[in-house]
């Protein structure tokens, strides 16, 4: 198995969407991987926000007016996999930039028709395989058709959002934005898929990710070793945000 497409998601929240232009260029030039932005909003708005399709694809999804926007965007990158049934897709936060090919090194011997999760151990003792447990939604990897087998996406995104929100599977969320619905829903659906003999390979690589991550703690620019960066030592950078407030730091690192 090898990742063929990375899918991220955003609406017009300035904390997140400006990352798209830089990450799509990184994935295209450095990794030779296609990327897709699931844009939540009007297609006519894309040009107003300087969002480019030069290095990646953009698919527009509507926003359900009756539900909170943040968790709709996090569910959007799951939903985006349905458009690529025969491509191996990886879903990832838009404010994470991959800095090495570690993810492919872990999955190179996995059958392409298996669903893979890389960082199941991030919330220990919580884990998606435990009843009531959850694991993160980043670094889920599978062909689009396998994602669809697990989650059975509705063809209408607005109906998909209603399904997820009303499902008893979306049992965990916090705050006014209902952050976490995507994690609880996906974790319970994965348990059902595993119980029905679906093929899942579960990795516990969060400690590896953490040890080699450049972690900006949301708004703090942290030092890094440029020699290790160039040698591919670092796994990713969890970026300072918003991007425009840290543009020089992030652009310098990427270059």
């Amino acid at each position: 198995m090898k990742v063929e497409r990375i899918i991220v998601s955003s609406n017009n929240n300035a904390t997140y969407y400006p990352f798209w232009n830089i990450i799509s260029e990184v994935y295209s030039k450095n990794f030779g991987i296609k990327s897709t932005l699931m844009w939540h909003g009007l297609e006519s708005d894309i040009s107003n926000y300087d969002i480019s399709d030069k290095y990646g694809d953009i698919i527009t999804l509507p926003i359900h007016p009756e539900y909170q926007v943040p968790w709709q965007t996090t569910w959007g990158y799951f939903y985006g996999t349905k458009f690529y049934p025969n491509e191996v897709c990886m879903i990832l936060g838009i404010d994470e930039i991959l800095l090495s090919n570690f993810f492919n090194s872990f999955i190179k011997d996995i059958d392409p028709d298996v669903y893979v999760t890389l960082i199941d151990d991030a919330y220990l003792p919580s884990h998606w395989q435990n009843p009531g447990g959850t694991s993160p939604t980043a670094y889920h990897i599978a062909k689009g058709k396998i994602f669809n087998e697990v989650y059975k996406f509705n063809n209408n995104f607005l109906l998909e959002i209603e399904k997820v929100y009303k499902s008893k599977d979306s049992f965990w969320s916090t705050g006014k934005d209902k952050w976490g619905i995507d994690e609880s829903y996906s974790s319970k659906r994965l348990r059902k898929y595993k119980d029905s003999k679906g093929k899942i390979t579960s990795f516990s690589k969060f400690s590896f990710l953490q040890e080699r991550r450049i972690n900006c703690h949301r708004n703090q620019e942290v030092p890094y070793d440029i020699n290790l960066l160039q040698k591919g030592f670092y796994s990713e950078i969890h970026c300072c945000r918003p991007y425009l407030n840290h543009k020089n730091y992030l652009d310098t690192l990427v270059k």
Side-chain angles (χ1 to χ4, degrees):
M1 176 186 285
K2 183 179 180 180
V3 172
E4 298 171 280
R5 184 174 296 271
I6 292 173
I7 300 181
V8 299
S9 182
S10 185
N11 66 326
N12 63 358
N13 185 337
T15 299
Y16 296 105
Y17 78 81
F19 285 106
W20 164 249
N21 288 350
I22 192 171
I23 67 170
S24 59
E25 184 174 2
V26 166
Y27 298 151
S28 176
K29 289 184 175 180
N30 289 32
F31 297 98
I33 294 177
K34 300 172 184 177
S35 55
T36 296
L37 169 66
M38 306 306 298
W39 174 256
H40 296 257
L42 300 175
E43 187 172 359
S44 58
D45 285 342
I46 292 175
S47 60
N48 297 331
Y49 294 102
D50 188 31
I51 298 171
S52 172
D53 62 359
K54 182 177 181 180
Y55 295 106
D57 301 318
I58 301 173
I59 295 177
T60 302
L61 294 176
I63 295 174
H64 200 304
E66 296 181 18
Y67 300 103
Q68 299 84 353
V69 173
W71 75 264
Q72 292 188 55
T73 65
T74 57
W75 192 246
Y77 47 55
F78 276 93
Y79 191 80
T81 61
K82 75 186 294 292
F83 298 101
Y84 307 103
N86 297 311
E87 293 185 39
V88 175
C89 302
M90 180 166 74
I91 58 175
L92 200 63
I94 197 170
D95 58 346
E96 298 171 88
I97 302 178
L98 298 171
L99 300 179
S100 69
N101 208 27
F102 75 96
F103 54 97
N104 273 327
S105 69
F106 291 135
I107 66 171
K108 60 184 177 64
D109 296 324
I110 303 296
D111 188 292
D113 288 321
V114 171
Y115 191 109
V116 175
T117 57
L118 278 187
I119 54 171
D120 288 352
D121 55 332
Y123 301 152
L124 291 179
S126 182
H127 191 289
W128 72 265
Q129 293 191 49
N130 302 328
T134 59
S135 292
T137 52
Y139 294 102
H140 287 220
I141 306 168
K143 286 183 178 178
K145 65 181 181 181
I146 305 299
F147 273 95
N148 207 13
E149 284 182 16
V150 177
Y151 302 108
K152 298 178 172 35
F153 300 115
N154 195 297
N155 288 330
N156 183 310
F157 184 68
L158 299 181
L159 295 179
E160 174 72 11
I161 288 301
E162 290 183 13
K163 179 193 79 176
V164 173
Y165 190 85
K166 294 177 180 179
S167 171
K168 293 180 181 179
D169 296 346
S170 57
F171 55 86
W172 181 85
S173 62
T174 61
K176 64 179 181 179
D177 293 330
K178 298 296 181 183
W179 200 255
I181 287 178
D182 57 319
E183 293 180 340
S184 60
Y185 181 79
S186 64
S187 293
K188 196 163 186 181
R189 293 300 307 175
L190 283 174
R191 285 194 291 275
K192 289 183 177 180
Y193 186 67
K194 181 175 180 287
D195 290 343
S196 66
K197 308 304 179 185
K199 297 178 181 178
I200 302 176
T201 296
S202 175
F203 287 95
S204 296
K205 297 296 184 181
F206 187 67
S207 58
F208 174 90
L209 185 75
Q210 284 285 82
E211 289 166 3
R212 299 195 177 206
R213 171 193 270 176
I214 300 174
N215 198 343
C216 289
H217 305 293
R218 301 304 191 225
N219 61 3
Q220 180 184 355
E221 298 177 5
V222 297
Y224 56 90
D225 186 319
I226 191 169
N227 291 318
L228 290 179
L229 177 67
Q230 292 172 339
K231 291 176 181 177
F233 171 84
Y234 294 111
S235 58
E236 66 163 27
I237 177 170
H238 199 183
C239 297
C240 316
R241 52 189 215 202
Y243 166 73
L244 294 177
N245 288 3
H246 305 276
K247 187 177 186 304
N248 183 64
Y249 171 83
L250 293 170
D251 287 357
T252 301
L253 184 148
V254 168
K255 288 176 182 177

